[in-house]
Amino acid sequence: MGNFQVRTDLALEARESISEADSELRGVRVEEYYREKEDVKVTKVMIDTKNAAKAMGKPVGIYVTMEAPAMVEPDEDYHREISQCIAEELLKLIPGADKEQSVLVVGLGNREVTADSLGPQAIDNLFITRHIVREFGKAAYNCEKVNQVSSLEPGVMARTGMETAEIVKGVVEETAPDVLIVIDALAARSIRRLNRTIQITNTGIQPGSGVGNHRNALTLESLGVPVIAIGIPTVVDAATIVSDALEKLLEEEKELDVVKYVSRQETGFAELNNMYMTGKDIDAVIKRVSFTVSEGINIAMEMRMD
Amino acid sequence: MGNFQVRTDLALEARESISEADSELRGVRVEEYYREKEDVKVTKVMIDTKNAAKAMGKPVGIYVTMEAPAMVEPDEDYHREISQCIAEELLKLIPGADKEQSVLVVGLGNREVTADSLGPQAIDNLFITRHIVREFGKAAYNCEKVNQVSSLEPGVMARTGMETAEIVKGVVEETAPDVLIVIDALAARSIRRLNRTIQITNTGIQPGSGVGNHRNALTLESLGVPVIAIGIPTVVDAATIVSDALEKLLEEEKELDVVKYVSRQETGFAELNNMYMTGKDIDAVIKRVSFTVSEGINIAMEMRMD
Amino acid sequence: MGNFQVRTDLALEARESISEADSELRGVRVEEYYREKEDVKVTKVMIDTKNAAKAMGKPVGIYVTMEAPAMVEPDEDYHREISQCIAEELLKLIPGADKEQSVLVVGLGNREVTADSLGPQAIDNLFITRHIVREFGKAAYNCEKVNQVSSLEPGVMARTGMETAEIVKGVVEETAPDVLIVIDALAARSIRRLNRTIQITNTGIQPGSGVGNHRNALTLESLGVPVIAIGIPTVVDAATIVSDALEKLLEEEKELDVVKYVSRQETGFAELNNMYMTGKDIDAVIKRVSFTVSEGINIAMEMRMD
Amino acid sequence: MGNFQVRTDLALEARESISEADSELRGVRVEEYYREKEDVKVTKVMIDTKNAAKAMGKPVGIYVTMEAPAMVEPDEDYHREISQCIAEELLKLIPGADKEQSVLVVGLGNREVTADSLGPQAIDNLFITRHIVREFGKAAYNCEKVNQVSSLEPGVMARTGMETAEIVKGVVEETAPDVLIVIDALAARSIRRLNRTIQITNTGIQPGSGVGNHRNALTLESLGVPVIAIGIPTVVDAATIVSDALEKLLEEEKELDVVKYVSRQETGFAELNNMYMTGKDIDAVIKRVSFTVSEGINIAMEMRMD
């Protein structure tokens, strides 16, 4: 499709898109395994070189994608087995996770827009310890090792007048955490991945991705501490879905002039910008998956205490 | 497009869709006028016969559509001039609006899903008087004529386990209002109409329309009192948008087999069901337009006092 | 204190207050037992006669009070062991609980006032089944016996213009449940009972009690179905607390003229009306205890399936 | 009353309390005037010396108190005339308010606790301009002078694990505003002042005051920029109210031993700590007064543009 940009926040989808053209992309390694007990398929995409990063449209780093079809269905509670997977994969990506650390968890997104409220809602259920440890010492928890967990909901620029990166940077400099965990709602290319895929990456957050695009870079380079990003795709870009539908059609109808179509698309679908597509039960889904994510972080933080 | 159903809650769009095929549809009258001061274009579609109703896919009755491009833009406040228009058009459709009445305003939709929260948010700003008038008499407001305004937010079936129509019917029978005003978020066919069009109709609410489809009929027939519905389109059906995009393409590419396309669409786009498309600033837009609607009702209720 | 009325919604406190004067009140029986595993003290006050009801200021019926000191403390989750107790005591009070039933759960109170939001928040976590059973039959749950659970949040009169009792009565008549469970925040006399006491009664809700006093009677007499009320005291009446403090002082200072004091109190403390007292962490407490209550109901509804 | 500390955030009340003992306190000047048009009584307490500050329990600075009895009553809207007063008094206290400035408005308090949500709710209605001016220049507003307004809701320590002062300091250092405006719910001593008094001071926020006590100092000294605090008393400390009630009684009954009473109070009323008293309609009141405050700031920011 040439230079028409398909928008996805999932490295998994970016790679699928690319491998069609170039099935042996250098600098990108992929590992897959299946966690049978939890029915979770884990795909680890490692982008090793700058060239590969450019081809993928994603920075160098590790992207762990967990496909958990069960997550979108209600169980009795919130899928604790998936939280357990999140905890384990998360700890593999946090540098120094075997030591006691101070961890700041940032919930990106807009609480007032259901599909964009994953980050803020996940923050609501975290087990916050930093203020207790600092006031009463570790004795408060009767453990030898206790992480100091704090959280921040920076809000969106339309309400704050500030870039998310400005707020996060200020708070990081003032409170000096050892590591950042950033939670955000993502955009997928495929409807099938909505709300049942979790991506954990050690590359942080780059400008131009996410539902509301409400921030600049939150990365090791910009903040000076490792940044682990946890995301779940909750929306599909409207332009992407229309483009995909057209593309399928075009593939079958060879007589159509693709160039003409692409240019028409770029002018004709301008009104689709700033639109997104999401499911009708998004409120119940976000409530549930945000709890799965926050419990994943809670479990990870406790596991390190031992 | 034959029997492929384009989904819209706007009578205006239903008519546009039909008039392409049959420009002189019998049993449908259309009046248009422009309110220059408020920059609002008013279109009144009157469906007079059952045959016309069937062709339009909308019940017999009057549909007033107000196109107010300004509504989507923030002004200093909430576009009081549009509220004034709403009040005037609303009073024309309420039977007996010159007399003192008891009016129950029902806010349909799901407060937890931003694009579906128009009804609940509009309810929040209503001036409620019924309980005061019943306890202290009209003297409480120092007026000769006072309407008794009450409100109800029935919630959605997934949370209540009850049809909206069951809840509303029970409350109507117990509290015996003279008229119902029902507020709901609608689905439009065209993105250009989102959040800047208001439809007021005296046909009430029919099953199968609206964002979440969260109710059975709320009509004079089912409830025994006149039901005026006020709606603003806040979403576009995902399947509709893809279908429209394809249709435009097909019009230009005559060699494509439309029948083949339609059948493919019906099977291929099943995953688009239960998806909808909306704008990224939907939180700010709903907050503003819900206030415009509730002020419209507040003004109408006061105007009748004179 | 003669006719000065001490306000409490707890039968337990009403009895304590009375037994000081008359330790063998006829027509009132009290049973106590201790659930060691859960550290819950259960007191069952049975008011058997109209005379006793008059003396107690509570209608004839059974009042089960569970004192659970742990409830106010966070545990890992929400005190499932207390939910289990609630389920068991609840089932003892529901007539016909061994059969399949249709149960409407009503969350009283004002979601916008933290201390009064117990009912609405408890509703949020209920497992709602009525609409599923009615559409798909019991087969949907793969059980032989399934209760039909529905829920209603009627809201407060200042927002609806209707008495809570009007709304509930209309919905009960339309949907014909077998039994009502009503959840409400209560006022206690003693600060020590706040947020750690649960009262379950088969007398329903009487006018004049509760935080916001937002309703008329919800009883078997008024609605035609059994009404079980579950309440947790979340506030203390401001006038009650001042009166109690003064009373203690007066007991020690015999030379004070009680009559003079009481009359002064009635005029001087008028400004305390419509005030209540609550804790600073009321948001976290309500979030937790509302979950404990809703899980109690969820467990009870499942237990009956067996 | 010796060393028993009466808790109030209002300098006006602190002075009343003191002047009983010492009617000519040195280092404290008081000016009063009445704004007839708006029915607002303005009292300006100037604490000029450290000795006076110690006696008053408030830091050196200017405290403007506006008593606006109308504020607690609904009018058609939100009492724009009081917002106008707030704007004028606010500008008198902001250094350099005649020039274009960058202003960060901080909403303190807990959105989840109704009586403590004044700050967060006031933030919701601010007109935010900083991001627009920085991206598009002043031309975006078609004015010669435009202030850059940003806002921050830091949240409470129990949820963030961080002191409010840490968050605010980080953001101030990163975004370098010229002045801070901090909005917070206050505790009054007298019920009569609740929700109808506005205090504006140039001393910022000191530890130990406010409803939830959720912060360290936010002052010129700690942050390096002038800090103007706007507060409205929404609660009365529970211990204060009981103590006041007892005090009144004791004044009339001279035979009581005050010393004995005070010591008893300090032990006996420990359970009143962390309790506060507020009105039953606090949700509607906070919604209204927070709007009055935010409009006051909006008007002030515009006035400076001319």
Side-chain angles (χ1 to χ4, degrees), chain A residues 96-167:
Chain A
D98 53 322
K99 295 192 229 89
E100 221 168 40
Q101 290 183 311
S102 174
V103 179
L104 172 59
V105 187
V106 178
L108 295 182
N110 187 347
R111 189 182 285 275
E112 304 295 315
V113 173
T114 316
D116 196 21
S117 65
L118 175 74
Q121 288 199 37
I123 292 296
D124 288 347
N125 288 301
L126 284 182
F127 190 56
I128 301 298
T129 57
R130 180 178 179 271
H131 60 304
I132 305 289
V133 174
R134 284 167 61 98
E135 188 160 350
F136 303 105
K138 286 180 270 184
Y141 293 107
N142 204 18
C143 298
E144 240 177 85
K145 287 170 64 180
V146 185
N147 293 300
Q148 294 188 23
V149 181
S150 54
S151 83
L152 182 69
E153 179 185 342
V156 290
M157 194 163 67
R159 292 171 75 95
T160 63
M162 300 180 281
E163 296 279 359
T164 298
E166 290 180 294
I167 298 172

Side-chain angles (χ1 to χ4, degrees), chain B residues 101-225:
Chain B
Q101 289 183 312
S102 174
V103 179
L104 172 59
V105 186
V106 178
L108 295 182
N110 186 347
R111 188 182 285 274
E112 304 296 314
V113 173
T114 316
D116 197 22
S117 65
L118 175 74
Q121 288 199 36
I123 292 295
D124 288 346
N125 288 300
L126 283 183
F127 190 56
I128 302 298
T129 56
R130 181 179 178 269
H131 60 305
I132 304 288
V133 173
R134 282 167 62 96
E135 189 161 350
F136 304 104
K138 287 179 269 184
Y141 295 106
N142 203 18
C143 298
E144 239 178 87
K145 287 169 64 179
V146 184
N147 294 299
Q148 295 187 22
V149 181
S150 54
S151 82
L152 183 70
E153 179 184 343
V156 290
M157 196 163 65
R159 292 171 76 94
T160 64
M162 300 181 280
E163 297 278 0
T164 299
E166 291 180 295
I167 298 172
V168 173
K169 197 174 180 191
V171 172
V172 165
E173 283 176 4
E174 194 63 31
T175 65
D178 297 310
V179 65
L180 236 70
I181 298 174
V182 177
I183 309 169
D184 200 8
L186 305 178
R189 178 174 179 170
S190 159
I191 292 179
R192 283 175 303 106
R193 290 225 168 75
L194 284 189
N195 307 316
R196 68 200 75 187
T197 308
I198 303 150
Q199 176 173 279
I200 310 179
T201 169
N202 64 359
T203 61
I205 299 270
Q206 301 292 328
S209 48
V211 175
N213 199 359
H214 28 65
R215 55 209 149 17
N216 296 102
L218 301 177
T219 60
L220 173 59
E221 290 69 40
S222 69
L223 297 174
V225 290

Side-chain angles (χ1 to χ4, degrees), chain B residues 39-107:
Chain B
D39 186 22
V40 172
K41 183 181 163 195
V42 182
T43 308
K44 196 169 168 181
V45 176
M46 288 154 287
I47 303 181
D48 294 332
T49 65
K50 286 200 174 170
N51 274 347
K54 202 176 163 188
M56 294 276 287
K58 305 267 165 221
V60 168
I62 301 173
Y63 301 81
V64 176
T65 310
M66 302 163 52
E67 291 173 272
M71 194 163 68
V72 83
E73 306 295 337
D75 72 345
E76 269 177 51
D77 208 345
Y78 64 90
H79 295 290
R80 189 174 174 86
E81 79 285 0
I82 301 175
S83 299
Q84 185 73 30
C85 296
I86 293 175
E88 290 174 22
E89 300 296 338
L90 183 58
L91 289 177
K92 290 181 198 165
L93 290 182
I94 297 180
D98 54 321
K99 294 191 229 91
E100 222 167 41
Q101 289 183 312
S102 174
V103 179
L104 172 59
V105 186
V106 178

Side-chain angles (χ1 to χ4, degrees), chain A residues 112 114 249 264 276-278, chain B residues 112 114 249 264 277-278:
Chain A
E112 304 295 315
T114 316
L249 191 70
R264 202 166 49 232
Y276 65 86
M277 206 175 286
T278 193
Chain B
E112 304 296 314
T114 316
L249 191 69
R264 204 166 48 230
M277 205 175 285
T278 194

Side-chain angles (χ1 to χ4, degrees), chain A residues 10-119:
Chain A
L10 294 176
L12 190 68
E13 290 187 336
R15 197 186 165 275
E16 284 168 357
S17 169
I18 273 181
S19 59
E20 289 159 19
D22 175 5
S23 60
E24 291 196 6
L25 184 65
R26 285 185 202 173
V28 177
R29 288 173 296 148
V30 179
E31 286 174 15
E32 287 182 7
Y33 64 99
Y34 178 63
R35 300 177 67 121
E36 195 166 354
K37 202 180 105 204
E38 299 98 347
D39 185 22
V40 172
K41 183 183 164 193
V42 182
T43 308
K44 196 170 168 181
V45 176
M46 287 153 287
I47 303 181
D48 294 332
T49 64
K50 286 202 174 170
N51 273 347
K54 201 176 164 189
M56 293 277 286
K58 305 267 163 220
V60 168
I62 301 173
Y63 302 81
V64 176
T65 310
M66 303 163 52
E67 290 173 274
M71 194 163 69
V72 81
E73 305 297 337
D75 73 344
E76 266 177 51
D77 209 343
Y78 63 91
H79 296 289
R80 188 173 174 86
E81 79 285 0
I82 302 176
S83 299
Q84 185 72 30
C85 296
I86 293 175
E88 291 173 22
E89 299 297 337
L90 184 58
L91 288 176
K92 290 182 200 165
L93 290 182
I94 297 180
D98 53 322
K99 295 192 229 89
E100 221 168 40
Q101 290 183 311
S102 174
V103 179
L104 172 59
V105 187
V106 178
L108 295 182
N110 187 347
R111 189 182 285 275
E112 304 295 315
V113 173
T114 316
D116 196 21
S117 65
L118 175 74

